[in-house]
C-alpha cells in the first residue's frame, strides 16, 4: 500500500513514526514545504527570551531519522494540487523539480497559518510573524544586530502573545501588549484568572493596551509607531500573533469544512472522502467538554490525531477518545493551567453551568518554605452535574493536578464524586483538606 503524507511537523511526524514502527511493507512518501521537521513552537518564546540555550533541543525528529525507518521524505517541496478523484498528489521542489505521486491512502497534515490581519503598513521592516523556526531566528538575529530596537509591540494577547511579551521584556525592551479584547487569554480562563495574569504582566513592566484594534503601522520604511482606534504608541518592532487559521487550501473545494475552514474528520481522522485523512491543526477534534466537533489547535492534540490516523490508515480500527483542550502557561513564575470550558465560554454556548471557586495555600501553614497560594475553579453542568471545565493558578507548580480534571471531563465524572475523592496528604505536598476537595465540597 502506498501512503502519501502532506506535512511532517507534529501530527505528521507522529503519524509517520506510528506507521513505520507498527506496519511493515507499506510505501510512505512525505512532502513538506519547510526545511525542518518537528520544531517545538511551544518552546519558541523560551528561546527568544534566552531562557534556554539555543534551539537544538526544540527539534525531536528529522528527515534523516524518518528516512532511516523507511520513509521517503521530500523537504522544501510544496504540494501544489491534489486530484482526489484520480488519487494523485502534485508537488514542486525548491529546485523546480516536479513530482506526481499516486496514493492508496492520503494523510493531510498541513497545519495552520498565522491570521493575516488587515492592517495598513504590515509590509514595513521589523513587522514580524512568529510561528516557524525561521521566524524566531529572524527575530533573535534582529534583536542581536539592531540595538536601536527598544520598543516592541506584540499584537494579540493569546498564549503566544503573552509568552512573547515576557520574552521581549527579558531582553530589556519596552513592551506593549495589544488586543481587541479587554484582557489576555480569554479563550482559556475566566476573568478572575485573566486578571491575575494581567497583574503579573504589569508587575513586570509590560504595558497592557487592551480593548484596542490596530488600524495602521506607520514608519519610513521600517516600523516607527502603531495607530489603534483609541490612540497611538511608538514601536521599533511589531509582532503580529492574533491567532492561526487551518491551512486547508489544498482540499477546501473537495472536502467538507468546519465553520472556521478546518477539515471535518470523524473519530478515526477520516475526512468526507474515503482514503483521505486529516490530522493536527488543519482538522477538527471531538471535544468532550461540549460533546461535539470543535477546533482546538494544540501540539498535544496533533500528536494524538497522528497516532489515531496512522492505525486507521494501515487497517487497524481505532477511534479518538476525544480531547478537552488541556493547556498551560507560565509567565514570570505565575503558572496557570486549564481544561475544558470556562464558565464564561459555557454560558456563551448556552450551556447552563455552575462553578465552585476556592483558594488556599498549597501546603499547611507551618510549611514555610515554597508554600504558595493556589486558586482553583471547577465548572460543571447544572442539569447532570458533570464537570466540563477547570482552571488553576499558582506560583507553585500545580500543573499535574489538571490532568485529573481532564480525565473527569473525558469520563463524565460529576462534581459530587470529587467531594470524597481519596487524595493523598503529606505536608510536603498539600493540606489534608486540600483545595480540590474544598472546591468540590463548596459546590452548590
Amino acid at each position: 500500500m502506498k501512503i502519501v503524507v502532506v506535512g511532517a511537523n507534529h501530527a505528521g511526524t507522529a503519524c509517520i513514526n506510528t506507521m513505520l514502527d507498527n506496519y511493515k511493507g507499506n510505501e510512505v512518501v512525505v512532502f513538506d514545504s519547510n526545511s525542518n521537521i518537528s520544531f517545538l513552537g511551544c518552546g519558541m518564546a523560551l528561546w527568544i527570551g534566552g531562557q534556554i540555550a539555543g534551539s537544538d533541543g526544540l527539534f525531536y525528529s528529522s528527515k534523516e531519522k524518518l528516512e532511516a525507518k523507511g520513509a521517503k521524505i521530500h523537504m522544501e517541496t510544496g504540494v501544489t494540487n491534489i486530484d482526489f478523484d484520480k488519487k494523485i498528489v502534485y508537488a514542486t521542489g525548491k529546485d523546480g523539480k516536479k513530482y506526481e505521486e499516486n496514493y492508496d491512502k492520503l494523510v493531510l497534515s498541513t497545519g495552520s497559518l498565522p491570521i493575516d490581519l488587515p492592517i495598513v503598513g504590515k509590509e514595513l521592516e521589523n513587522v514580524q510573524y512568529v510561528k516557524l523556526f525561521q521566524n524566531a531566528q529572524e527575530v533573535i538575529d534582529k534583536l542581536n544586530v539592531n540595538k536601536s530596537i527598544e520598543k516592541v509591540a506584540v499584537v494579540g494577547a493569546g498564549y503566544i502573545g503573552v509568552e512573547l511579551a515576557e520574552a521581549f521584556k527579558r531582553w530589556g525592551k519596552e513592551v506593549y501588549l495589544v488586543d481587541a479584547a479587554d484582557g489576555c487569554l480569554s479563550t482559556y480562563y475566566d476573568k478572575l484568572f485573566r486578571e491575575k495574569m494581567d497583574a503579573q504582566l504589569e508587575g513586570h513592566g509590560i504595558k497592557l493596551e487592551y480593548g484596542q484594534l490596530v488600524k495602521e503601522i506607520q514608519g519610513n520604511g521600517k516600523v516607527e509607531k502603531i495607530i489603534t482606534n483609541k490612540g497611538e504608541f511608538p514601536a521599533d518592532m511589531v509582532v503580529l500573533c492574533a491567532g492561526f487559521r487551518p491551512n486547508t487550501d489544498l482540499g477546501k473545494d473537495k472536502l467538507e469544512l468546519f465553520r472556521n475552514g478546518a477539515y471535518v474528520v470523524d473519530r478515526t481522522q477520516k475526512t468526507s472522502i474515503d482514503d483521505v485523512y486529516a490530522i493536527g491543526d488543519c482538522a477538527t477534534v471531538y471535544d468532550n467538554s461540549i460533546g461535539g466537533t470543535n477546533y482546538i489547535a494544540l501540539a498535544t492534540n496533533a500528536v494524538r490525531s497522528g497516532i489515531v490516523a496512522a492505525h486507521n490508515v494501515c487497517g487497524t480500527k481505532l477511534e479518538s477518545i476525544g480531547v478537552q483542550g488541556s493547556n498551560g502557561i507560565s509567565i514570570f513564575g505565575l503558572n496557570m493551567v486549564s481544561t475544558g470550558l470556562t464558565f464564561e465560554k459555557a454560558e456563551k454556548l448556552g450551556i447552563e453551568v455552575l462553578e465552585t471557586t476556592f483558594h488556599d495555600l498549597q501546603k499547611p501553614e507551618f510549611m514555610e518554605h515554597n508554600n504558595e497560594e493556589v486558586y482553583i475553579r471547577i465548572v460543571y453542568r447544572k442539569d447532570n452535574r458533570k464537570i466540563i471545565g477547570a482552571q488553576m493558578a499558582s506560583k507553585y507548580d500545580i500543573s499535574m493536578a489538571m490532568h485529573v480534571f481532564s480525565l473527569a471531563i473525558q469520563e463524565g465524572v460529576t462534581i459530587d464524586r470529587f467531594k470524597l475523592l481519596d487524595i493523598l496528604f503529606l505536608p510536603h505536598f498539600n493540606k489534608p483538606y486540600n483545595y480540590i476537595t474544598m472546591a468540590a465540597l463548596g459546590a452548590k
Side-chain angles (χ1 to χ4, degrees):
M1 181 167 63
K2 186 172 181 180
I3 304 160
V4 174
V5 180
V6 182
N9 209 34
H10 303 309
T13 297
C15 184
I16 296 161
N17 276 325
T18 303
M19 291 190 295
L20 297 175
D21 290 345
N22 295 278
Y23 302 94
K24 306 303 178 186
N26 295 317
E27 182 183 358
V28 179
V29 180
V30 182
F31 293 102
D32 196 291
S33 59
N34 206 341
S35 59
N36 58 70
I37 287 174
S38 78
F39 176 61
L40 285 164
C42 53
M44 182 166 52
L46 294 172
W47 176 31
I48 293 174
Q51 293 172 267
I52 58 174
S55 61
D56 290 350
L58 297 179
F59 295 91
Y60 58 88
S61 191
S62 65
K63 168 182 166 73
E64 293 72 27
K65 286 181 179 178
L66 296 178
E67 287 191 330
K69 291 185 175 186
K72 187 174 182 180
I73 312 292
H74 299 288
M75 299 301 298
E76 296 184 274
T77 305
V79 172
T80 55
N81 186 40
I82 299 172
D83 188 326
F84 292 97
D85 297 318
K86 295 180 180 178
K87 291 189 168 184
I88 301 174
V89 172
Y90 299 89
T92 304
K94 185 181 178 182
D95 57 2
K97 185 177 179 180
K98 303 287 186 180
Y99 298 87
E100 287 187 21
E101 291 283 353
N102 63 294
Y103 64 84
D104 297 304
K105 304 281 187 178
L106 175 65
V107 180
L108 299 172
S109 178
T110 48
S112 56
L113 297 170
I115 290 173
D116 191 15
L117 295 172
I119 298 174
V120 176
K122 61 186 176 185
E123 74 287 345
L124 290 171
E125 185 181 342
N126 296 334
V127 176
Q128 309 287 143
Y129 287 101
V130 180
K131 178 171 173 62
L132 305 175
F133 163 80
Q134 294 91 330
N135 302 145
Q137 185 67 69
E138 183 181 7
V139 168
I140 291 170
D141 290 344
K142 285 186 176 182
L143 292 174
N144 277 320
V145 172
N146 191 349
K147 303 303 180 185
S148 65
I149 297 177
E150 296 177 347
K151 299 177 177 64
V152 180
V154 178
V155 180
Y159 265 169
I160 293 174
V162 171
E163 289 174 341
L164 288 173
E166 177 189 20
F168 291 122
K169 197 63 189 178
R170 289 180 179 275
W171 276 83
K173 306 302 180 182
E174 188 174 327
V175 181
Y176 299 85
L177 183 59
V178 191
D179 201 287
D182 63 357
C184 66
L185 310 178
S186 56
T187 301
Y188 302 105
Y189 299 96
D190 285 320
K191 187 175 181 181
L192 167 70
F193 293 85
R194 297 198 303 269
E195 287 177 341
K196 292 187 179 304
M197 183 56 74
D198 285 342
Q200 183 78 345
L201 293 167
E202 283 189 314
H204 285 83
I206 293 168
K207 298 178 180 179
L208 306 181
E209 304 288 346
Y210 294 153
Q212 299 187 53
L213 284 169
V214 176
K215 294 293 189 182
E216 187 176 352
I217 302 170
Q218 292 185 351
N220 185 15
K222 61 182 179 181
V223 175
E224 293 175 13
K225 63 180 176 179
I226 279 184
I227 310 297
T228 76
N229 61 333
K230 291 189 177 178
E232 63 180 61
F233 46 89
D236 305 308
M237 177 180 278
V238 175
V239 183
L240 301 176
C241 47
F244 301 97
R245 67 171 181 87
N247 181 14
T248 54
D249 291 347
L250 284 171
K252 66 182 180 182
D253 297 325
K254 195 74 174 177
L255 303 175
E256 182 185 352
L257 302 179
F258 194 52
R259 58 177 176 264
N260 71 332
Y263 297 126
V264 173
V265 296
D266 64 17
R267 293 177 79 155
T268 70
Q269 301 299 141
K270 188 176 76 68
T271 67
S272 54
I273 294 182
D274 286 341
D275 299 327
V276 179
Y277 294 75
I279 57 178
D281 287 5
C282 70
T284 58
V285 296
Y286 184 84
D287 183 350
N288 289 313
S289 65
I290 65 170
T293 301
N294 203 352
Y295 181 76
I296 306 175
L298 292 169
T300 48
N301 291 347
V303 169
R304 283 190 293 270
S305 70
I307 294 170
V308 170
H311 286 292
N312 286 290
V313 164
C314 294
T316 302
K317 181 70 180 292
L318 178 67
E319 290 194 349
S320 165
I321 57 175
V323 303
Q324 290 70 249
S326 304
N327 62 89
I329 190 168
S330 181
I331 299 296
F332 293 117
L334 175 62
N335 309 304
M336 295 196 350
V337 290
S338 76
T339 189
L341 299 177
T342 64
F343 184 82
E344 295 169 11
K345 182 68 179 292
E347 287 198 317
K348 284 181 182 177
L349 291 173
I351 303 171
E352 284 195 78
V353 288
L354 298 170
E355 55 81 14
T356 175
T357 303
F358 187 79
H359 80 275
D360 198 358
L361 289 174
Q362 169 72 25
K363 300 178 247 186
E365 282 75 3
F366 59 78
M367 299 294 287
E368 297 178 1
H369 177 66
N370 193 27
N371 194 4
E372 301 286 352
E373 272 197 318
V374 180
Y375 286 77
I376 181 171
R377 169 169 289 179
I378 308 171
V379 181
Y380 57 100
R381 295 182 66 107
K382 190 175 181 180
D383 53 3
N384 59 22
R385 300 183 66 78
K386 288 183 179 179
I387 294 172
I388 60 170
Q391 303 155 66
M392 295 173 65
S394 180
K395 291 183 178 178
Y396 191 82
D397 181 0
I398 36 75
S399 58
M400 294 299 289
M402 192 50 60
H403 296 150
V404 72
F405 290 105
S406 178
L407 182 62
I409 298 170
Q410 176 185 297
E411 298 301 314
V413 178
T414 67
I415 184 66
D416 304 302
R417 298 289 285 173
F418 270 77
K419 292 180 179 180
L420 296 176
L421 178 65
D422 178 11
I423 294 178
L424 69 86
F425 161 62
L426 190 68
H428 302 71
F429 302 137
N430 62 353
K431 287 187 167 188
Y433 289 94
N434 62 83
Y435 49 84
I436 294 176
T437 300
M438 296 303 292
L441 287 169
K444 299 182 184 71

